[in-house]
Amino acid sequence: MIDLGLARIGRLLQHTPQTWKAIHVAGTNGKGSICAYLSAMLSASGVSCARFTSPHLIDRWDCITINEKPVSETIFRQVEGLVKQRDQDEKIGATEFELLAATAFEIFHRLKVEYGVIEVGLGGKLDATNIMKHKSVTVIAKIGLDHQSFLGNTVEEIALQKAGIIRSGVPCVVDDSNESSVLKVIQDHAKEVGGAELHYPSSDSALLQVLTKEGYEPHQVQNLACALLAFRLACPDVDHSMSRLLPIVKQLQWPGRLQKIDLFPIIGQHQAALLDGAHNSQSAEVLAEYVNKHYRSRSRSITWVLAASKGKDVDSIMSHIIQPSDHVTAVQFGPVDGMPWVKAEDPANLINQVIRYGVDTQNTHNSGDDVRAALEWASKAAGDEPIVIAGSLYLVSSVLRLMREAESDQKA
């Protein structure tokens, strides 16, 4: 299911030239947001641009965008069919992600885009996306513990895998809010590669101050500063003025990242909720900081709708976000299209974890595999208190899919 390496993707793409310039983004957290910022700035600057991020949100093809719009299902399925046929004819045995990445790169070539903004799938060094030959800029976002069984048990080991996207002669933007030991690993690897100049957002203190004054959260400031620096390096001849770029990024809502939604289409009554895909310790800590700052200051209790993928460090996630006064329902997301290896954690296990952190059993609920029921229970339990939906990007997908289906039914 997950089998890192570049041999199979290399064979899949041997007849697909890379006719576009790449901005390659790795990291544990923030890389998707950085990709979204970058493609928005490129597109708004009149640069033909495609983006490949994972996982998809609602439909499998929405992980590929062309000039800020998801690629059409027709084009996606046509090219995917060609790639799968190639895999079969040449007996390559590619993984699902390798087939998806090859489909994206084939689409970029066919549609003659100038730039491709590419999010690493897992790690960096041996990730299928690292097959790219023509990189304009690389970016390494915030690094933390996640996917240890594939990448290593320490942040330093994981950082070395992420640093594998660095190329000689290609500038690399590094989020310098990372731990010093992580930065040293990246710096040492850049020296080993040779000729890869590292760039740090904090060197532009005026930019960080502007973004902070604009109301961005600390992690958003870092992500946006990385994206702006990468954009300047990739397109030095384009207008980089903040007066032009800030309005562009302000309009951007990256789904499932501190996204404010109204559950009315799903549950039939107006209910505000915060939707966030925090699914590891580091992202849970960032979410907790946001919730404590904006919600707990005026509310004693938070009502959580939680899910998680099997294998995640659920205990660490709960330690950041849960307080004894909270209400919690746990739910199991369904099968993930195109990602059969992803399995949901048993909701009973999640409930046991929150009880360990002091939540009263009477304030918990096991919603099984019914996401709609989980949202309905949360609405009743919350009353006027805040609702936060978190723990998994696949739960985010389930909620957004329910939202789309409900809105479609209402229009019909």
Side-chain angles (χ1 to χ4, degrees):
M1 298 298 186
I2 298 178
D3 185 9
L4 299 178
L6 301 179
R8 292 179 300 273
I9 187 73
R11 290 177 63 193
L12 275 178
L13 291 172
Q14 62 184 329
H15 303 300
T16 305
Q18 188 190 329
T19 50
W20 41 277
K21 292 170 279 190
I23 302 177
H24 201 194
V25 185
T28 307
N29 294 301
K31 60 185 185 294
S33 297
I34 290 171
C35 288
Y37 289 137
L38 275 166
S39 63
M41 289 186 282
L42 286 163
S43 186
S45 301
V47 178
S48 175
C49 165
R51 184 178 73 225
F52 174 52
T53 55
S54 60
H56 62 271
L57 273 173
I58 300 178
D59 302 309
R60 270 194 310 128
W61 48 92
D62 68 27
C63 64
I64 301 170
T65 66
I66 307 296
N67 295 322
E68 294 301 273
K69 295 181 180 178
V71 69
S72 74
E73 180 182 359
T74 301
I75 292 175
F76 175 83
R77 291 197 183 280
Q78 178 187 11
V79 176
E80 181 190 44
L82 178 147
V83 169
K84 286 185 173 180
Q85 189 63 51
R86 187 182 296 164
D87 178 59
Q88 184 178 329
D89 291 346
E90 300 185 22
K91 298 180 172 56
I92 296 172
T95 66
E96 292 279 355
F97 183 74
E98 289 164 350
L99 294 169
L100 185 61
T103 298
F105 292 0
E106 180 75 29
I107 288 172
F108 292 5
H109 168 60
R110 289 184 173 208
L111 297 185
K112 296 181 172 59
V113 299
E114 185 177 351
Y115 275 90
V117 179
I118 310 297
E119 178 187 13
V120 167
L122 181 62
K125 179 182 178 181
L126 297 177
D127 184 73
T129 62
N130 206 30
I131 197 68
M132 293 183 295
K133 305 295 184 187
H134 309 298
K135 299 185 185 185
S136 293
V137 183
T138 59
V139 183
I140 301 178
K142 194 78 170 180
I143 294 175
L145 291 174
D146 204 359
H147 303 293
Q148 289 96 312
S149 59
F150 295 98
L151 304 178
N153 292 318
T154 68
V155 288
E156 292 80 17
E157 289 175 316
I158 293 170
L160 185 57
Q161 291 296 317
K162 309 284 186 187
I165 69 168
I166 294 174
R167 292 289 186 273
S168 177
V170 177
C172 177
V173 175
V174 181
D175 183 338
D176 47 353
S177 70
N178 274 299
E179 296 177 25
S180 58
S181 61
V182 165
L183 295 176
K184 185 177 186 308
V185 168
I186 296 169
Q187 290 159 0
D188 289 347
H189 185 73
K191 289 177 184 175
E192 186 180 322
V193 168
E197 187 175 351
L198 301 183
H199 299 260
Y200 302 99
S202 65
S203 61
D204 190 345
S205 57
L207 170 62
L208 299 183
Q209 289 174 6
V210 167
L211 297 178
T212 301
K213 286 180 181 178
E214 288 291 331
Y216 287 100
E217 299 298 318
H219 71 287
Q220 293 173 322
V221 169
Q222 288 299 131
N223 292 340
L224 185 46
C226 283
L228 285 163
L229 184 49
F231 176 66
R232 290 170 179 170
L233 290 167
C235 301
D237 298 327
V238 174
D239 180 4
H240 304 134
S241 64
M242 292 302 296
S243 59
R244 187 183 77 85
L245 295 177
L246 262 182
I248 294 168
V249 296
K250 277 184 176 180
Q251 293 174 18
L252 181 69
Q253 172 62 67
W254 189 228
R257 278 73 168 183
L258 300 181
Q259 181 182 2
K260 294 177 181 177
I261 61 173
D262 184 351
L263 296 176
F264 175 80
I266 301 174
I267 65 175
Q269 64 184 55
H270 291 288
Q271 177 73 62
L274 184 71
L275 184 63
D276 193 90
H279 58 281
N280 54 45
S281 180
Q282 193 177 74
S283 57
E285 185 176 11
V286 168
L287 174 60
E289 289 173 0
Y290 182 89
V291 168
N292 293 343
K293 176 182 177 182
H294 295 279
Y295 293 164
R296 289 200 191 275
S297 60
R298 57 181 172 80
S299 172
R300 191 177 70 87
S301 169
I302 303 294
T303 296
W304 297 90
V305 180
L306 299 176
S309 298
K310 278 187 179 298
K312 292 294 181 181
D313 186 357
V314 172
D315 180 70
S316 181
I317 293 171
M318 300 301 180
S319 71
H320 291 299
I321 64 175
I322 297 298
Q323 293 190 13
S325 59
D326 291 346
H327 296 75
V328 179
T329 181
V331 66
Q332 184 172 315
F333 56 79
V336 181
D337 188 15
M339 304 178 75
W341 62 89
V342 176
K343 306 294 182 186
E345 183 61 80
D346 185 339
N349 293 338
L350 301 181
I351 294 298
N352 288 336
Q353 287 283 358
V354 301
I355 291 172
R356 284 185 55 226
Y357 282 97
V359 176
D360 192 316
T361 306
Q362 294 183 339
N363 292 335
T364 66
H365 180 258
N366 185 333
S367 295
D369 61 358
D370 193 335
V371 175
R372 185 189 302 274
L375 298 175
E376 291 171 345
W377 182 91
S379 179
K380 291 175 184 175
D384 294 329
E385 305 292 348
I387 291 177
V388 182
I389 306 163
S392 171
L393 285 169
Y394 307 113
L395 176 59
V396 168
S397 297
S398 295
V399 172
L400 294 177
R401 191 173 295 109
L402 279 175
M403 191 84 71
R404 184 178 71 175
E405 291 170 356
E407 290 172 343
S408 178
D409 290 344
Q410 289 168 10
K411 289 177 182 177

